Amino acid sequence: MLGERGQTVAAAESLTGGLVTAELTAAPGASATVRGSVTAYATEVKHEVLGVDGDLLRERGAVDAEVARQMALGVRRVIGSDWGVATTGVAGPEPQDGQPVGLVYVAVAGPGGSASSEGGEAARAVALELRLDGERAEIRDGSVEAVVRLLLSELTENAPTKDTEHGGGKGCLQP
């Protein structure tokens, strides 16, 4: 879908440590759509590289829906892609910052938000909370599947409408 739309994607990954990017680049033709990724495993990287609000990280920790949204927006901005995806959560084997194993947030940011107050391109970001069971590898794999499904859902929801009126002559996509 990204290729058909001439759009790109970038990933910001924490608990998945590069698995989302590996999944995205496994598709034939991925070089035309996948711009890159940031593995923001450390909280400082989420703040310093992706621009996640430092107060938010101090108050809520890294495992939070708003953190995931800001990661997706941040990687979109840093990498210069149309879409950003993000994962943050606890894969285990131990709880982290008071959060249980299996609590994961995935997020997708893309075009379609309301006007930006800074006059830049507006973006829309959505996050999804997951409560995953299983071992560390299963939680990480479930996170990858969930963020890819969320991206697909957002791409489908934000699909450009097709003009069904034909006025003859050359269409806007024809030479």
Side-chain angles (χ1 to χ4, degrees):
M1 271 181 112
L2 288 167
E4 290 170 6
R5 294 168 68 166
Q7 294 181 328
T8 58
V9 66
E13 303 188 59
S14 186
L15 82 150
T16 51
L19 295 174
V20 172
T21 306
E23 183 70 17
L24 292 172
T25 58
S31 60
T33 59
V34 179
R35 297 248 326 138
S37 66
V38 173
T39 301
Y41 211 66
T43 300
E44 299 82 32
V45 176
K46 290 173 183 67
H47 172 65
E48 294 169 7
V49 176
L50 296 174
V52 175
D53 183 85
D55 291 335
L56 173 67
L57 289 166
R58 282 187 290 283
E59 292 168 15
R60 298 190 201 167
V63 182
D64 180 80
E66 182 59 25
V67 169
R69 278 191 287 272
Q70 289 187 23
M71 288 173 65
L73 288 164
V75 78
R76 183 177 182 260
R77 184 190 73 255
V78 168
I79 302 288
S81 61
D82 299 297
W83 294 88
V85 299
T87 62
T88 187
V90 185
E94 300 296 323
Q96 174 188 329
D97 299 331
Q99 302 294 352
V101 172
L103 176 61
V104 174
Y105 293 94
V106 296
V108 172
S114 57
S116 169
S117 60
E118 289 114 28
E121 182 186 343
R124 175 180 191 268
V126 296
L128 179 64
E129 178 180 295
L130 309 172
R131 302 279 179 154
L132 301 173
D133 293 322
E135 300 294 320
R136 181 176 173 81
E138 293 168 308
I139 292 169
R140 290 169 44 135
D141 289 344
S143 302
V144 171
E145 182 179 333
V147 78
V148 171
R149 285 183 186 271
L150 184 58
L151 174 61
L152 180 59
S153 172
E154 287 297 301
L155 284 167
T156 303
E157 182 177 307
N158 291 299
T161 57
K162 296 191 184 214
D163 184 1
T164 56
E165 294 183 43
H166 300 282
K170 294 186 177 186
C172 65
L173 298 177
Q174 296 178 359

mmCIF file with all atom_site columns, all heavy atoms in Angstrom, residues 71-91:
data_model
loop_
_atom_site.group_PDB
_atom_site.id
_atom_site.type_symbol
_atom_site.label_atom_id
_atom_site.label_alt_id
_atom_site.label_comp_id
_atom_site.label_asym_id
_atom_site.label_entity_id
_atom_site.label_seq_id
_atom_site.pdbx_PDB_ins_code
_atom_site.Cartn_x
_atom_site.Cartn_y
_atom_site.Cartn_z
_atom_site.occupancy
_atom_site.B_iso_or_equiv
_atom_site.pdbx_formal_charge
_atom_site.auth_seq_id
_atom_site.auth_comp_id
_atom_site.auth_asym_id
_atom_site.auth_atom_id
_atom_site.pdbx_PDB_model_num
ATOM 1   N N   . MET A 1 71 ? 6.889  8.793   20.213 1.00 0.00 ? 71 MET A N   1
ATOM 2   C CA  . MET A 1 71 ? 7.945  8.069   19.500 1.00 0.00 ? 71 MET A CA  1
ATOM 3   C C   . MET A 1 71 ? 7.623  7.968   18.013 1.00 0.00 ? 71 MET A C   1
ATOM 4   O O   . MET A 1 71 ? 8.494  8.188   17.164 1.00 0.00 ? 71 MET A O   1
ATOM 5   C CB  . MET A 1 71 ? 8.129  6.669   20.095 1.00 0.00 ? 71 MET A CB  1
ATOM 6   C CG  . MET A 1 71 ? 8.781  6.638   21.468 1.00 0.00 ? 71 MET A CG  1
ATOM 7   S SD  . MET A 1 71 ? 8.776  4.967   22.191 1.00 0.00 ? 71 MET A SD  1
ATOM 8   C CE  . MET A 1 71 ? 9.865  4.080   21.037 1.00 0.00 ? 71 MET A CE  1
ATOM 9   N N   . ALA A 1 72 ? 6.367  7.634   17.699 1.00 0.00 ? 72 ALA A N   1
ATOM 10  C CA  . ALA A 1 72 ? 5.966  7.499   16.290 1.00 0.00 ? 72 ALA A CA  1
ATOM 11  C C   . ALA A 1 72 ? 6.061  8.840   15.573 1.00 0.00 ? 72 ALA A C   1
ATOM 12  O O   . ALA A 1 72 ? 6.540  8.922   14.432 1.00 0.00 ? 72 ALA A O   1
ATOM 13  C CB  . ALA A 1 72 ? 4.550  6.929   16.200 1.00 0.00 ? 72 ALA A CB  1
ATOM 14  N N   . LEU A 1 73 ? 5.617  9.900   16.226 1.00 0.00 ? 73 LEU A N   1
ATOM 15  C CA  . LEU A 1 73 ? 5.733  11.236  15.642 1.00 0.00 ? 73 LEU A CA  1
ATOM 16  C C   . LEU A 1 73 ? 7.201  11.641  15.487 1.00 0.00 ? 73 LEU A C   1
ATOM 17  O O   . LEU A 1 73 ? 7.597  12.221  14.476 1.00 0.00 ? 73 LEU A O   1
ATOM 18  C CB  . LEU A 1 73 ? 4.994  12.263  16.510 1.00 0.00 ? 73 LEU A CB  1
ATOM 19  C CG  . LEU A 1 73 ? 3.470  12.191  16.474 1.00 0.00 ? 73 LEU A CG  1
ATOM 20  C CD1 . LEU A 1 73 ? 2.870  12.972  17.643 1.00 0.00 ? 73 LEU A CD1 1
ATOM 21  C CD2 . LEU A 1 73 ? 2.936  12.707  15.152 1.00 0.00 ? 73 LEU A CD2 1
ATOM 22  N N   . GLY A 1 74 ? 7.992  11.317  16.500 1.00 0.00 ? 74 GLY A N   1
ATOM 23  C CA  . GLY A 1 74 ? 9.406  11.683  16.486 1.00 0.00 ? 74 GLY A CA  1
ATOM 24  C C   . GLY A 1 74 ? 10.187 10.999  15.382 1.00 0.00 ? 74 GLY A C   1
ATOM 25  O O   . GLY A 1 74 ? 10.977 11.634  14.684 1.00 0.00 ? 74 GLY A O   1
ATOM 26  N N   . VAL A 1 75 ? 9.969  9.698   15.189 1.00 0.00 ? 75 VAL A N   1
ATOM 27  C CA  . VAL A 1 75 ? 10.720 8.999   14.141 1.00 0.00 ? 75 VAL A CA  1
ATOM 28  C C   . VAL A 1 75 ? 10.274 9.469   12.770 1.00 0.00 ? 75 VAL A C   1
ATOM 29  O O   . VAL A 1 75 ? 11.079 9.570   11.841 1.00 0.00 ? 75 VAL A O   1
ATOM 30  C CB  . VAL A 1 75 ? 10.629 7.461   14.289 1.00 0.00 ? 75 VAL A CB  1
ATOM 31  C CG1 . VAL A 1 75 ? 9.304  6.896   13.791 1.00 0.00 ? 75 VAL A CG1 1
ATOM 32  C CG2 . VAL A 1 75 ? 11.800 6.789   13.599 1.00 0.00 ? 75 VAL A CG2 1
ATOM 33  N N   . ARG A 1 76 ? 9.014  9.793   12.647 1.00 0.00 ? 76 ARG A N   1
ATOM 34  C CA  . ARG A 1 76 ? 8.504  10.339  11.381 1.00 0.00 ? 76 ARG A CA  1
ATOM 35  C C   . ARG A 1 76 ? 9.251  11.631  11.044 1.00 0.00 ? 76 ARG A C   1
ATOM 36  O O   . ARG A 1 76 ? 9.657  11.852  9.902  1.00 0.00 ? 76 ARG A O   1
ATOM 37  C CB  . ARG A 1 76 ? 7.000  10.581  11.534 1.00 0.00 ? 76 ARG A CB  1
ATOM 38  C CG  . ARG A 1 76 ? 6.294  11.077  10.312 1.00 0.00 ? 76 ARG A CG  1
ATOM 39  C CD  . ARG A 1 76 ? 4.784  11.194  10.613 1.00 0.00 ? 76 ARG A CD  1
ATOM 40  N NE  . ARG A 1 76 ? 4.064  11.620  9.445  1.00 0.00 ? 76 ARG A NE  1
ATOM 41  C CZ  . ARG A 1 76 ? 3.662  12.872  9.228  1.00 0.00 ? 76 ARG A CZ  1
ATOM 42  N NH1 . ARG A 1 76 ? 3.881  13.812  10.117 1.00 0.00 ? 76 ARG A NH1 1
ATOM 43  N NH2 . ARG A 1 76 ? 3.031  13.177  8.122  1.00 0.00 ? 76 ARG A NH2 1
ATOM 44  N N   . ARG A 1 77 ? 9.427  12.478  12.041 1.00 0.00 ? 77 ARG A N   1
ATOM 45  C CA  . ARG A 1 77 ? 10.112 13.757  11.857 1.00 0.00 ? 77 ARG A CA  1
ATOM 46  C C   . ARG A 1 77 ? 11.619 13.559  11.620 1.00 0.00 ? 77 ARG A C   1
ATOM 47  O O   . ARG A 1 77 ? 12.183 14.108  10.679 1.00 0.00 ? 77 ARG A O   1
ATOM 48  C CB  . ARG A 1 77 ? 9.883  14.645  13.095 1.00 0.00 ? 77 ARG A CB  1
ATOM 49  C CG  . ARG A 1 77 ? 10.470 16.045  12.978 1.00 0.00 ? 77 ARG A CG  1
ATOM 50  C CD  . ARG A 1 77 ? 10.425 16.808  14.306 1.00 0.00 ? 77 ARG A CD  1
ATOM 51  N NE  . ARG A 1 77 ? 11.432 16.272  15.225 1.00 0.00 ? 77 ARG A NE  1
ATOM 52  C CZ  . ARG A 1 77 ? 11.201 15.499  16.268 1.00 0.00 ? 77 ARG A CZ  1
ATOM 53  N NH1 . ARG A 1 77 ? 9.994  15.132  16.591 1.00 0.00 ? 77 ARG A NH1 1
ATOM 54  N NH2 . ARG A 1 77 ? 12.187 15.058  17.025 1.00 0.00 ? 77 ARG A NH2 1
ATOM 55  N N   . VAL A 1 78 ? 12.260 12.759  12.471 1.00 0.00 ? 78 VAL A N   1
ATOM 56  C CA  . VAL A 1 78 ? 13.718 12.576  12.415 1.00 0.00 ? 78 VAL A CA  1
ATOM 57  C C   . VAL A 1 78 ? 14.154 11.911  11.113 1.00 0.00 ? 78 VAL A C   1
ATOM 58  O O   . VAL A 1 78 ? 15.127 12.319  10.494 1.00 0.00 ? 78 VAL A O   1
ATOM 59  C CB  . VAL A 1 78 ? 14.207 11.755  13.635 1.00 0.00 ? 78 VAL A CB  1
ATOM 60  C CG1 . VAL A 1 78 ? 15.638 11.307  13.477 1.00 0.00 ? 78 VAL A CG1 1
ATOM 61  C CG2 . VAL A 1 78 ? 14.052 12.566  14.911 1.00 0.00 ? 78 VAL A CG2 1
ATOM 62  N N   . ILE A 1 79 ? 13.415 10.899  10.687 1.00 0.00 ? 79 ILE A N   1
ATOM 63  C CA  . ILE A 1 79 ? 13.781 10.154  9.478  1.00 0.00 ? 79 ILE A CA  1
ATOM 64  C C   . ILE A 1 79 ? 13.232 10.817  8.220  1.00 0.00 ? 79 ILE A C   1
ATOM 65  O O   . ILE A 1 79 ? 13.736 10.605  7.129  1.00 0.00 ? 79 ILE A O   1
ATOM 66  C CB  . ILE A 1 79 ? 13.303 8.682   9.585  1.00 0.00 ? 79 ILE A CB  1
ATOM 67  C CG1 . ILE A 1 79 ? 13.909 7.988   10.810 1.00 0.00 ? 79 ILE A CG1 1
ATOM 68  C CG2 . ILE A 1 79 ? 13.575 7.899   8.316  1.00 0.00 ? 79 ILE A CG2 1
ATOM 69  C CD1 . ILE A 1 79 ? 15.371 7.663   10.711 1.00 0.00 ? 79 ILE A CD1 1
ATOM 70  N N   . GLY A 1 80 ? 12.187 11.617  8.364  1.00 0.00 ? 80 GLY A N   1
ATOM 71  C CA  . GLY A 1 80 ? 11.603 12.282  7.203  1.00 0.00 ? 80 GLY A CA  1
ATOM 72  C C   . GLY A 1 80 ? 10.695 11.365  6.408  1.00 0.00 ? 80 GLY A C   1
ATOM 73  O O   . GLY A 1 80 ? 10.758 11.329  5.179  1.00 0.00 ? 80 GLY A O   1
ATOM 74  N N   . SER A 1 81 ? 9.844  10.624  7.106  1.00 0.00 ? 81 SER A N   1
ATOM 75  C CA  . SER A 1 81 ? 8.933  9.699   6.432  1.00 0.00 ? 81 SER A CA  1
ATOM 76  C C   . SER A 1 81 ? 7.495  10.192  6.548  1.00 0.00 ? 81 SER A C   1
ATOM 77  O O   . SER A 1 81 ? 7.173  11.032  7.384  1.00 0.00 ? 81 SER A O   1
ATOM 78  C CB  . SER A 1 81 ? 9.053  8.296   7.049  1.00 0.00 ? 81 SER A CB  1
ATOM 79  O OG  . SER A 1 81 ? 8.694  8.329   8.410  1.00 0.00 ? 81 SER A OG  1
ATOM 80  N N   . ASP A 1 82 ? 6.641  9.643   5.717  1.00 0.00 ? 82 ASP A N   1
ATOM 81  C CA  . ASP A 1 82 ? 5.219  9.961   5.773  1.00 0.00 ? 82 ASP A CA  1
ATOM 82  C C   . ASP A 1 82 ? 4.553  9.338   6.995  1.00 0.00 ? 82 ASP A C   1
ATOM 83  O O   . ASP A 1 82 ? 3.650  9.919   7.586  1.00 0.00 ? 82 ASP A O   1
ATOM 84  C CB  . ASP A 1 82 ? 4.509  9.439   4.514  1.00 0.00 ? 82 ASP A CB  1
ATOM 85  C CG  . ASP A 1 82 ? 5.055  10.084  3.254  1.00 0.00 ? 82 ASP A CG  1
ATOM 86  O OD1 . ASP A 1 82 ? 4.920  11.318  3.121  1.00 0.00 ? 82 ASP A OD1 1
ATOM 87  O OD2 . ASP A 1 82 ? 5.636  9.360   2.417  1.00 0.00 ? 82 ASP A OD2 1
ATOM 88  N N   . TRP A 1 83 ? 5.004  8.139   7.364  1.00 0.00 ? 83 TRP A N   1
ATOM 89  C CA  . TRP A 1 83 ? 4.432  7.378   8.454  1.00 0.00 ? 83 TRP A CA  1
ATOM 90  C C   . TRP A 1 83 ? 5.521  6.997   9.448  1.00 0.00 ? 83 TRP A C   1
ATOM 91  O O   . TRP A 1 83 ? 6.655  6.725   9.051  1.00 0.00 ? 83 TRP A O   1
ATOM 92  C CB  . TRP A 1 83 ? 3.769  6.100   7.928  1.00 0.00 ? 83 TRP A CB  1
ATOM 93  C CG  . TRP A 1 83 ? 2.586  6.383   7.073  1.00 0.00 ? 83 TRP A CG  1
ATOM 94  C CD1 . TRP A 1 83 ? 2.571  6.604   5.716  1.00 0.00 ? 83 TRP A CD1 1
ATOM 95  C CD2 . TRP A 1 83 ? 1.245  6.527   7.506  1.00 0.00 ? 83 TRP A CD2 1
ATOM 96  N NE1 . TRP A 1 83 ? 1.292  6.871   5.303  1.00 0.00 ? 83 TRP A NE1 1
ATOM 97  C CE2 . TRP A 1 83 ? 0.452  6.822   6.377  1.00 0.00 ? 83 TRP A CE2 1
ATOM 98  C CE3 . TRP A 1 83 ? 0.618  6.420   8.746  1.00 0.00 ? 83 TRP A CE3 1
ATOM 99  C CZ2 . TRP A 1 83 ? -0.922 7.020   6.449  1.00 0.00 ? 83 TRP A CZ2 1
ATOM 100 C CZ3 . TRP A 1 83 ? -0.751 6.608   8.820  1.00 0.00 ? 83 TRP A CZ3 1
ATOM 101 C CH2 . TRP A 1 83 ? -1.510 6.905   7.689  1.00 0.00 ? 83 TRP A CH2 1
ATOM 102 N N   . GLY A 1 84 ? 5.158  6.950   10.713 1.00 0.00 ? 84 GLY A N   1
ATOM 103 C CA  . GLY A 1 84 ? 6.047  6.467   11.761 1.00 0.00 ? 84 GLY A CA  1
ATOM 104 C C   . GLY A 1 84 ? 5.316  5.426   12.584 1.00 0.00 ? 84 GLY A C   1
ATOM 105 O O   . GLY A 1 84 ? 4.132  5.577   12.870 1.00 0.00 ? 84 GLY A O   1
ATOM 106 N N   . VAL A 1 85 ? 6.014  4.358   12.934 1.00 0.00 ? 85 VAL A N   1
ATOM 107 C CA  . VAL A 1 85 ? 5.455  3.348   13.825 1.00 0.00 ? 85 VAL A CA  1
ATOM 108 C C   . VAL A 1 85 ? 6.353  3.237   15.045 1.00 0.00 ? 85 VAL A C   1
ATOM 109 O O   . VAL A 1 85 ? 7.558  3.522   14.963 1.00 0.00 ? 85 VAL A O   1
ATOM 110 C CB  . VAL A 1 85 ? 5.310  1.973   13.126 1.00 0.00 ? 85 VAL A CB  1
ATOM 111 C CG1 . VAL A 1 85 ? 4.365  2.064   11.936 1.00 0.00 ? 85 VAL A CG1 1
ATOM 112 C CG2 . VAL A 1 85 ? 6.651  1.412   12.703 1.00 0.00 ? 85 VAL A CG2 1
ATOM 113 N N   . ALA A 1 86 ? 5.769  2.848   16.181 1.00 0.00 ? 86 ALA A N   1
ATOM 114 C CA  . ALA A 1 86 ? 6.560  2.765   17.407 1.00 0.00 ? 86 ALA A CA  1
ATOM 115 C C   . ALA A 1 86 ? 6.080  1.634   18.296 1.00 0.00 ? 86 ALA A C   1
ATOM 116 O O   . ALA A 1 86 ? 4.896  1.299   18.312 1.00 0.00 ? 86 ALA A O   1
ATOM 117 C CB  . ALA A 1 86 ? 6.486  4.086   18.172 1.00 0.00 ? 86 ALA A CB  1
ATOM 118 N N   . THR A 1 87 ? 7.038  1.079   19.049 1.00 0.00 ? 87 THR A N   1
ATOM 119 C CA  . THR A 1 87 ? 6.735  0.068   20.061 1.00 0.00 ? 87 THR A CA  1
ATOM 120 C C   . THR A 1 87 ? 7.450  0.417   21.351 1.00 0.00 ? 87 THR A C   1
ATOM 121 O O   . THR A 1 87 ? 8.603  0.836   21.339 1.00 0.00 ? 87 THR A O   1
ATOM 122 C CB  . THR A 1 87 ? 7.203  -1.337  19.620 1.00 0.00 ? 87 THR A CB  1
ATOM 123 O OG1 . THR A 1 87 ? 8.629  -1.332  19.442 1.00 0.00 ? 87 THR A OG1 1
ATOM 124 C CG2 . THR A 1 87 ? 6.528  -1.777  18.328 1.00 0.00 ? 87 THR A CG2 1
ATOM 125 N N   . THR A 1 88 ? 6.751  0.253   22.465 1.00 0.00 ? 88 THR A N   1
ATOM 126 C CA  . THR A 1 88 ? 7.354  0.397   23.790 1.00 0.00 ? 88 THR A CA  1
ATOM 127 C C   . THR A 1 88 ? 6.590  -0.498  24.739 1.00 0.00 ? 88 THR A C   1
ATOM 128 O O   . THR A 1 88 ? 5.370  -0.647  24.609 1.00 0.00 ? 88 THR A O   1
ATOM 129 C CB  . THR A 1 88 ? 7.381  1.867   24.272 1.00 0.00 ? 88 THR A CB  1
ATOM 130 O OG1 . THR A 1 88 ? 8.135  1.952   25.485 1.00 0.00 ? 88 THR A OG1 1
ATOM 131 C CG2 . THR A 1 88 ? 5.997  2.449   24.465 1.00 0.00 ? 88 THR A CG2 1
ATOM 132 N N   . GLY A 1 89 ? 7.285  -1.133  25.654 1.00 0.00 ? 89 GLY A N   1
ATOM 133 C CA  . GLY A 1 89 ? 6.592  -2.035  26.563 1.00 0.00 ? 89 GLY A CA  1
ATOM 134 C C   . GLY A 1 89 ? 7.552  -2.904  27.341 1.00 0.00 ? 89 GLY A C   1
ATOM 135 O O   . GLY A 1 89 ? 8.759  -2.682  27.353 1.00 0.00 ? 89 GLY A O   1
ATOM 136 N N   . VAL A 1 90 ? 6.989  -3.915  28.002 1.00 0.00 ? 90 VAL A N   1
ATOM 137 C CA  . VAL A 1 90 ? 7.754  -4.813  28.861 1.00 0.00 ? 90 VAL A CA  1
ATOM 138 C C   . VAL A 1 90 ? 7.671  -6.232  28.305 1.00 0.00 ? 90 VAL A C   1
ATOM 139 O O   . VAL A 1 90 ? 6.609  -6.865  28.356 1.00 0.00 ? 90 VAL A O   1
ATOM 140 C CB  . VAL A 1 90 ? 7.224  -4.786  30.315 1.00 0.00 ? 90 VAL A CB  1
ATOM 141 C CG1 . VAL A 1 90 ? 8.122  -5.633  31.215 1.00 0.00 ? 90 VAL A CG1 1
ATOM 142 C CG2 . VAL A 1 90 ? 7.128  -3.358  30.837 1.00 0.00 ? 90 VAL A CG2 1
ATOM 143 N N   . ALA A 1 91 ? 8.792  -6.714  27.770 1.00 0.00 ? 91 ALA A N   1
ATOM 144 C CA  . ALA A 1 91 ? 8.826  -8.060  27.212 1.00 0.00 ? 91 ALA A CA  1
ATOM 145 C C   . ALA A 1 91 ? 9.203  -9.098  28.266 1.00 0.00 ? 91 ALA A C   1
ATOM 146 O O   . ALA A 1 91 ? 9.006  -10.284 28.061 1.00 0.00 ? 91 ALA A O   1
ATOM 147 C CB  . ALA A 1 91 ? 9.812  -8.125  26.040 1.00 0.00 ? 91 ALA A CB  1
#
